[in-house]
Amino acid sequence: MNSAPSIQKLLDELGRLPGIGPKSAQRIAYWLLNADRETALRLAQAIVEVKETVRFCSRCFNYAEGDLCEICASPKRDAGIICVVSEPRDIPPIERTGSFSGTYHVLGGALSPMEGIGPDDLHITELLQRLASEDVREVLLATNPNVEGETTAAYLARLIKPLGISVTRLASGLPVGGDLEFADEVTLGRAIEARRVL
């Protein structure tokens, strides 16, 4: 690609985005260069607007444009069930299922001693404050099924169970349409442990 300073600057900035390598950065840069001015300006304005208007919900730490996110502000949500997730990006997939009508609490990460992330680095104190001040029946731990997520879920369960609140965990197992021969031992083992009566 042309090494004009402005193009190189664009390539450098695009290359900083997660999952964007040099070739992807080039493709996006070419697209922007060939797009009409209005299209490029709409993209630039959307980036500026999201940085200026989006903050964290004061209650659950999801993304919000006001003090509360749309979920916390909705009277239709069941405030008696809190689904705990690691990051705001974990909420949309759960919402798309249409199976959960409670509220959320975003930890802002997961416990990871190797990376120096301890309980004080996450929104655990705020979760415990919510449990003390709100009428919560159940906490659904929906952290990722990896070492950090499992460690975080176990830690939270130890803190919450003595409060007399039901603590549940997302079931994990085989994907629909998957073949047993391709399943790893951990996934298959969890599917066996979480088996249900038909």
Side-chain angles (χ1 to χ4, degrees):
M1 184 174 247
N2 188 339
S3 60
S6 58
I7 294 173
Q8 189 57 52
K9 183 177 178 184
L10 177 61
L11 286 170
D12 293 344
E13 292 305 318
L14 290 171
R16 293 175 199 260
L17 297 172
I20 303 294
K23 290 199 182 288
S24 293
Q26 262 189 344
R27 278 193 297 276
I28 295 167
Y30 274 131
W31 180 85
L32 286 168
L33 286 168
N34 291 321
D36 58 74
R37 179 176 169 77
E38 291 74 30
T39 299
L41 290 177
R42 272 197 315 272
L43 174 61
Q45 182 56 40
I47 293 170
V48 170
E49 186 177 323
V50 79
K51 292 306 290 179
E52 289 178 348
T53 61
V54 176
R55 59 186 60 92
F56 290 110
C57 174
S58 64
R59 182 179 181 207
C60 76
F61 301 96
N62 185 14
Y63 294 127
E65 290 192 0
D67 183 49
L68 294 177
C69 69
E70 289 182 8
I71 294 170
C72 285
S74 172
K76 296 178 181 176
R77 303 303 290 225
D78 181 355
I81 305 173
I82 297 176
C83 179
V84 177
V85 295
S86 295
E87 300 288 350
R89 67 175 172 255
D90 299 329
I91 294 175
I94 296 171
E95 285 295 290
R96 282 193 297 269
T97 69
S99 301
F100 182 73
S101 60
T103 59
Y104 293 89
H105 189 84
V106 180
L107 295 172
L111 294 175
S112 179
M114 297 292 286
E115 294 179 28
I117 300 171
D120 294 339
D121 300 309
L122 305 176
H123 297 294
I124 293 173
T125 301
E126 294 88 344
L127 173 62
L128 296 174
Q129 289 169 349
R130 283 183 69 184
L131 298 180
S133 64
E134 298 176 21
D135 187 21
V136 178
R137 303 181 310 277
E138 177 186 352
V139 174
L140 167 58
L141 301 175
T143 53
N144 290 321
N146 55 26
V147 173
E148 293 84 5
E150 294 292 341
T151 302
T152 305
Y155 178 80
L156 291 174
R158 282 196 309 274
L159 290 177
I160 298 167
K161 281 181 182 176
L163 304 176
I165 297 169
S166 173
V167 179
T168 56
R169 180 89 170 109
L170 282 182
S172 57
L174 300 171
V176 173
D179 293 328
L180 288 181
E181 65 180 302
F182 300 117
D184 64 275
E185 293 82 10
V186 174
T187 301
L188 192 52
R190 287 198 180 140
I192 292 168
E193 288 169 11
R195 67 189 181 276
R196 57 192 170 91
V197 177
L198 296 178

